């Protein structure tokens, strides 16, 4: 498990999350605490023409959480809120202990989180940025509403 | 009989079945004793024996098993009283744990009976009355008082913490004033290991007529106490951190205080007489033990305290001090003067428990712990339910090793080897780790 | 597979080590199951296995043992949810017992957050709001509401009891009025065995928007439930009466109600973020589980409920109904029409649990139980923590036999033989006993 | 134990406790509940010239409690409060599981309670009337005070 966990992939992803920084004028901004460790992520979104047009985040957390935030930072801009909610669902499914193989995703790095499935206490680390993303989208572009 | 420090753990370890197991193919190095300590065979046996020969409800039935269960339960109360140096068993209240015990005080002492002269223990606290806690308390000794503040309008004050993780008692005169009714502090920190200078606290509290509660969750495992000599009024601890079972804890309080306190929870066993219109309550300790108590767990706790009393306390303490020294020296060696590893806690071994918290620049505690786990080393990372203390040091968490008498040099060495590996994997000190925390 | 009723107990008994013991040289006839039931080997093993392979604190550490302990704890929650027919495990809160669960509701639902619109579940109850209990409740479902009355000025009403020891539901229309906020009744009486007609209660409560709490302490041992179908809002029960350990119980509540309820006890594990100034709380169920929970006990409870689910429920019920019949018939035979022995409870076996309470004119329950004990028969005498019910019948206590699936005809016959002896010794019906009670 | 307990001695004592009844004008009257069983004893005392001059009681309780009340009813009148307090102490000592042989008492029937020592849950049955007696004396003739 953790042997796999702390491979270059995740560490590189985590390192690259650094300094993503905040947006100046976000449409929505969400801060989530991880009650289990006290870590915190703040995520800003901006939308234009029904798609995510800009993203910012500040992460004070572990490697897993930073790596997850980094994946979002890499791929989320340009996607529709619906697509992003679907990706968050894929991540949740991937972590289910008996969730079977991950749903194929257009975001290849998500597969790197597969080993976390076996470690329940760390699921929240990976999920936190996705939860923050969905919460920010909910605020900026309510499901079913027009953004 | 005095054990050689090195011979001590081998003899002790054999008594703990769980310590023989492996994790991830490695021998287990259990260094999370401040969270929960393991149970010796004698305690496991005492519980199993109770459940298979004397299981029954207590206090109300007259049949053989009920007599046996009640006797075992009350004998455990007496054993707790002996361990605490308490005058009489009736000063020992069994609770669900240390958290349950502190909440009991917050309600029964804190809310009291309602209007009184405002100074009797059973009269409760009111607007403007002060409770003093500290910045290094466990959440279990913070949140109950915040809730009391919300219910009763008390003022909650907090003693600051020194840079080496001790209570800063120089602030006592400023913070313990005329309106202070209770000083509720930990006997030893579950993060920094610092042991509280109880005498100074008691003196300051006495001077203004305030009561003193000690949170003994961490300290109680380290040998029998003499609470009357300590001069405190309330003492709380948990079974599962004192080599006993989950689901049980103790509130000790001076008899005259208990006698004057109203009950907290309502239910069976705590009443004198019930009608729909009105109810009168039993004497302490039963007044505070509503419902069927944790019987087998209390029996197990009694066995655990008996087991601790059977240890050579001086030998255990010398052994744990030596291991703590080895750990602190090892961390310093690993750091090689780079200032990456920072221990948060007193350097003086006499004033601390074998609980060692540290941060590693650029490495998150949970990542460290996860890698150490592959080495068979069980540590705890995070805020340790002491977020105000984390805020005090500007961090979100530490990595913590906490030792018990059965730990040995091999455990410490495994920790140090594992930490070296973790620092390498997480590229600590290479400037390339890129981790924003802590 | 359907067991012959007579084959049932022999196979079951072998699973209970304690039932093999003798008392006073007699085989044990354990008929005090309503007080505490015994634990099968599979539950003892589950607990021992947990303590020796997976003991650790839950929820915060990431090491192997902590992962294993957390997984076991949360799987037990899921097992409880399955047993109760609950939608999701998050509706299951582990408590210290049934009494702890009811007190939790009295505080979190009863006291609420303070001012609101006065009708939301989290808004608490205030002066004039009504809670309906009954005259046959256990003290654990009376005293918490009396305490709430004292704190909040609510009005406490009590449903009367019929002459055969059932709730008199004809009074529901009169007693469940517009101000009624909660109906808190037992699912089955621990004295008379009467099972509550839940549908009628729920209908009456729903009509005025009141919530319904069922005290399942007695009923829960008798097989899996479907709480959403029952339509109740809260359900409470204890581990030790459901073939599980002491020190653990369950509060089940509808998710949307839990979500809206403030916490009760404060401490570790139930927070989101703590500063000295303010604290935010975790989501249910953890919001209601302050401090280290009864981990091994929850694991044991999960194993116990799994064990019950493995029984042939229809066979068990037929067996217990047959034994109850045998007991009721035996008591009538012993009485020989003299009217000395009086059973307090419904005659209809379909509407009652195998809990049989009776009085014997001129003999005190504790004297009867003491003599029966010499026969190896464990009964309970006294008020059974139901003093208002005793007052209703003008008595101070009853003698109670309460059966579990492992009891057999031999147990009933030993009871009857012992009772005959006791009546002779105590000179019942001779006009010479001279005893003033009952 | 209970074989011995329910011998003729105790049963006879209990039977004779019947109808002792209440005093018309007691100097003190005490009602005690036994919280364990809900039983209750009411005991009245009258004092004259430093001695118990009359006693009444009403007992709704088990055989053991009635027998204890009966012993009191038989012997207490004419005794000094100090002596009665001493007898109550003897009973307490007799019931201590490891209290050794009973202190010799001028009230021979007290020995009949010896078997109760082994049954902790019933100690209170025997002690209740003695507790009520001492409480009534405390009220009517405070220790050290002049009655
Ligand atoms: C009907 C009923 N309610 C509540 C309780 C209280 O259960 P516990 O003592 O396990 O908290 C009991 C058990 O005595 C009971 O029989
Ligand atoms: C200092 C301190 N206080 C209180 C507690 C709470 O103990 P428990 O969770 O057993 O109630 C702990 C344990 O985590 C602790 O370390
Ligand atoms: S440990 Fe806090 S987010 Fe991973
Ligand atoms: S059983 Fe009540 S006084 Fe003896």
């Amino acid at each position: 498990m953790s042997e796999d966990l702390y491979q270059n992939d995740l560490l590189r992803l985590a390192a690259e999350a650094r300094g993503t920084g905040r947006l100046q004028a976000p449409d929505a901004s969400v801060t989530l605490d991880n009650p289990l460790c006290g870590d915190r992520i703040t995520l800003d979104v901006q939308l234009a023409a029904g798609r995510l047009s800009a993203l910012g985040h500040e992460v004070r957390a572990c490697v897993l959480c930073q790596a997850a935030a980094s994946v979002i930072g890499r791929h989320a801009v340009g996607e529709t809120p619906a697509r992003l909610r679907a990706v968050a669902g894929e991540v949740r499914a991937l972590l289910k202990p008996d969730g079977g193989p991950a749903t194929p995703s257009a975001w290849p790095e998500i597969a790197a989180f597969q080993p976390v499935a076996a470690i329940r206490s760390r699921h929240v680390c990976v999920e936190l940025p996705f939860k923050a993303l969905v919460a920010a989208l909910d605020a900026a572009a309510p499901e079913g509403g027009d953004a | 009989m005095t054990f050689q420090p090195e011979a001590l753990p081998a003899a002790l370890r054999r008594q703990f079945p769980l310590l023989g197991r492996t994790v991830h193919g490695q021998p287990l190095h259990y260094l999370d004793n401040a969270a929960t300590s393991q149970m010796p065979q004698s305690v496991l046996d005492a519980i199993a024996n109770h459940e298979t020969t004397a299981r029954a409800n207590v206090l109300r039935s007259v049949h053989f098993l009920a007599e046996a269960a009640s006797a075992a339960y009350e004998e455990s109360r007496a054993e707790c009283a002996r361990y605490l140096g308490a005058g009489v068993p009736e000063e020992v209240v069994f609770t669900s744990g240390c958290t349950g015990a502190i909440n009991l005080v917050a309600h029964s002492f804190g809310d009291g009976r309602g209007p009184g002269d405002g100074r009797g223990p059973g009269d409760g606290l009111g607007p403007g009355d002060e409770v003093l806690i500290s910045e290094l308390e466990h959440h279990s000794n913070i949140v109950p008082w915040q809730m009391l503040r919300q219910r009763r309008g008390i003022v909650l004050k907090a003693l600051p913490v020194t840079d080496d993780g001790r209570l800063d008692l120089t602030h006592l005169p400023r913070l313990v004033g005329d309106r202070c009714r209770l000083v509720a502090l930990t006997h030893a920190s579950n993060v920094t290991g610092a042991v509280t200078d109880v005498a100074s606290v008691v003196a300051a509290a006495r001077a203004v007529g305030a009561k003193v509660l000690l949170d003994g969750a961490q300290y109680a495992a380290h040998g029998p106490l003499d609470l009357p000599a300590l001069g405190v009024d309330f003492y709380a601890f948990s079974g599962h951190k004192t080599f006993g079972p989950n689901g049980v804890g103790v509130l000790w309080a001076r008899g005259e205080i208990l006698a004057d306190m109203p009950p907290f929870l309502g239910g069976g066993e705590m009443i004198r007489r019930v009608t729909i219109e009105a109810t009168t309550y039993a004497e302490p300790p039963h007044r505070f033990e509503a419902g069927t108590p944790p019987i087998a767990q209390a029996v197990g706790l009694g066995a655990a305290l008996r087991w601790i009393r059977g240890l050579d306390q001086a030998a255990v303490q010398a052994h744990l001090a030596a291991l703590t020294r080895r750990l602190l020296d090892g961390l310093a060696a690993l750091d090689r003067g780079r200032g990456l590893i920072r221990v948060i806690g007193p350097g003086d071994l006499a004033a601390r428990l074998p609980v060692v918290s540290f941060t590693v620049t650029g490495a998150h505690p949970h990542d460290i712990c996860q890698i150490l786990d592959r080495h068979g080393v069980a540590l705890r990372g995070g805020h340790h339910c002491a977020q105000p203390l984390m805020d005090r040091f500007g961090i979100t968490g530490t990595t913590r090793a906490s030792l018990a008498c059965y730990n040995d040099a091999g455990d410490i060495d495994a920790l140090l080897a594992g930490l070296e590996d973790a620092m390498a994997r997480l590229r600590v000190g290479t400037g390339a780790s890129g981790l924003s925390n802590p």
Side-chain angles (χ1 to χ4, degrees), chain A, chain B:
Chain A
M1 297 180 253
S2 68
E3 232 109 50
D4 308 315
L5 268 186
Y6 295 92
Q7 288 311 330
N8 285 339
D9 277 2
L10 283 185
L11 288 170
R12 188 161 355 98
L13 282 169
E16 289 168 9
R18 176 166 226 171
T20 303
R22 304 288 307 270
L23 297 185
Q24 292 287 4
D27 290 334
S29 176
V30 160
T31 297
L32 282 189
D33 282 330
N34 182 342
L36 298 181
C37 54
D39 288 336
R40 171 172 283 191
I41 178 170
T42 300
L43 195 141
D44 305 325
V45 295
Q46 233 170 324
L47 291 155
R51 289 174 181 271
L52 191 74
S53 57
L55 178 96
H57 56 63
E58 208 165 74
V59 186
R60 198 182 55 173
C62 67
V63 162
L64 305 185
C65 186
Q66 292 190 58
S70 173
V71 173
I72 292 172
R74 226 174 240 221
H75 293 292
V77 172
E79 300 278 12
T80 62
R83 169 76 183 127
L84 293 170
R85 287 192 180 96
V87 173
E90 279 176 26
V91 171
R92 261 199 319 280
L94 176 82
L95 294 174
K96 283 248 170 69
D98 40 13
T103 325
S105 166
W107 298 9
E109 294 88 345
I110 284 182
F113 294 107
Q114 169 79 65
V116 183
I119 311 174
R120 271 213 227 190
S121 58
R122 307 300 296 279
H123 290 184
V124 56
C125 299
V126 178
E127 284 177 12
L128 201 66
F130 289 96
K131 279 193 180 153
L133 175 62
V134 170
L137 293 173
D138 286 351
E143 216 164 347
D146 52 332
Chain B
M1 187 177 64
T2 305
F3 288 94
Q4 296 300 319
E6 284 312 296
L8 192 62
L12 288 176
R13 275 181 107 94
R14 278 193 291 275
Q15 299 181 39
F16 290 79
L18 184 137
L19 296 178
R21 72 160 292 165
T22 56
V23 303
H24 306 305
Q26 306 285 332
L28 170 65
H29 301 286
Y30 188 74
L31 294 168
D32 195 14
N33 294 288
T36 282
S37 53
Q38 298 299 332
M39 282 207 286
Q41 190 64 48
S42 64
V43 176
L44 291 163
D45 289 346
I47 297 169
N49 183 54
H50 175 83
E51 295 288 28
T52 56
T53 67
R55 176 173 160 104
N57 212 321
V58 291
L59 291 182
R60 297 213 176 275
S61 282
V62 302
H63 59 74
F64 183 93
L65 292 176
E67 277 281 326
S70 297
Y73 182 66
E74 295 302 333
E75 265 150 37
S76 282
R77 195 192 301 282
E79 180 65 47
C80 290
R82 274 193 292 281
Y83 190 85
L84 300 174
V88 291
E90 288 71 27
E91 294 185 334
V92 170
V93 178
F94 284 118
T95 67
S96 58
C98 183
T99 301
I102 297 173
N103 278 274
L104 195 169
V105 177
H107 279 264
S108 286
F109 174 80
D111 288 292
R113 273 200 190 85
D117 70 357
R119 301 302 281 186
D123 290 325
L125 275 53
D129 279 338
E130 293 170 10
V131 172
L132 177 65
I133 57 173
S134 86
E135 283 182 354
L136 60 60
E137 297 308 311
H138 188 279
H139 294 163
S140 290
N141 196 30
I142 298 175
V143 183
W145 308 113
Q146 293 179 327
M147 290 173 148
L148 179 64
R149 175 172 64 190
Q150 206 181 341
R151 290 197 303 278
R152 307 282 291 196
I154 62 153
V155 174
L156 194 56
K157 298 192 164 182
L159 207 56
V161 169
T162 63
D163 287 341
D164 64 345
R166 290 176 297 105
L167 293 181
D168 190 345
L169 299 184
T170 60
H171 292 272
L172 276 178
R174 176 172 69 79
L175 290 171
V176 179
D178 264 359
R179 295 300 305 269
C180 186
R181 299 286 308 280
L182 179 72
V183 179
L185 298 173
T186 195
H187 196 177
S189 164
N190 67 317
V191 178
T192 71
V195 173
T196 300
D197 170 5
V198 178
S200 302
V201 171
V202 167
R206 285 288 167 272
V208 299
K211 305 275 179 255
V212 176
L213 175 147
L214 281 192
D215 170 359
Q218 290 302 325
Y219 197 89
H222 292 275
L225 293 152
D226 187 347
L227 295 183
L230 272 183
V232 300
D233 302 287
F234 300 101
Y235 200 85
F237 71 97
S238 280
H240 70 100
K241 293 182 204 273
T242 52
F243 311 102
N246 288 125
V248 67
V250 161
L251 173 69
W252 171 86
R254 288 184 189 281
E256 69 272 19
I257 296 179
L258 281 184
D260 202 33
M261 269 164 41
F264 171 29
L265 303 182
E269 329 287 1
M270 51 70 78
I271 58 98
R272 179 173 299 283
R273 173 137 193 94
V274 175
T275 67
I276 299 288
E277 293 71 42
T279 288
T280 52
Y281 302 114
E283 295 297 307
H286 300 292
R287 186 190 300 163
F288 304 102
E289 296 180 351
T292 303
I295 305 165
Q297 293 71 38
V299 169
L301 177 55
L305 299 183
R306 211 171 305 123
W307 182 83
I308 299 176
R309 296 208 311 144
L311 297 175
D312 178 336
Q313 307 300 334
V316 167
Q317 264 160 46
H319 169 68
L320 287 172
L323 288 188
T324 306
R325 180 80 280 150
R326 187 184 190 98
L327 174 54
L328 293 172
D329 291 349
L331 290 174
L334 213 55
D335 188 52
R336 287 186 274 116
R338 292 173 296 174
L340 296 171
I341 302 178
R342 175 172 167 216
V343 172
I344 298 187
D348 174 6
L349 292 188
R352 60 157 26 257
L353 296 182
V355 173
V356 177
S357 272
F358 57 93
T359 58
V360 181
T361 306
H364 188 283
H366 275 107
D367 294 323
I368 293 174
C369 289
Q370 198 81 54
I371 294 173
L372 269 286
D373 178 54
R374 298 300 299 192
H375 292 259
V377 181
L379 300 178
R380 169 160 291 208
H383 55 60
H384 312 293
C385 299
Q387 286 188 323
L389 182 64
M390 299 300 117
D391 292 345
R392 154 70 174 83
F393 284 101
I395 56 182
T396 54
T398 74
T399 302
R400 179 185 78 184
S402 51
L403 284 58
C405 50
Y406 42 63
N407 288 121
D408 61 16
D411 295 330
I412 303 300
D413 296 347
L415 185 171
L416 294 168
L419 183 59
E420 185 162 22
D421 177 41
M423 288 168 71
R425 280 170 188 264
L426 297 171
R427 303 185 208 168
V428 167
T430 63
S433 82
L435 294 185
S436 54
N437 180 66

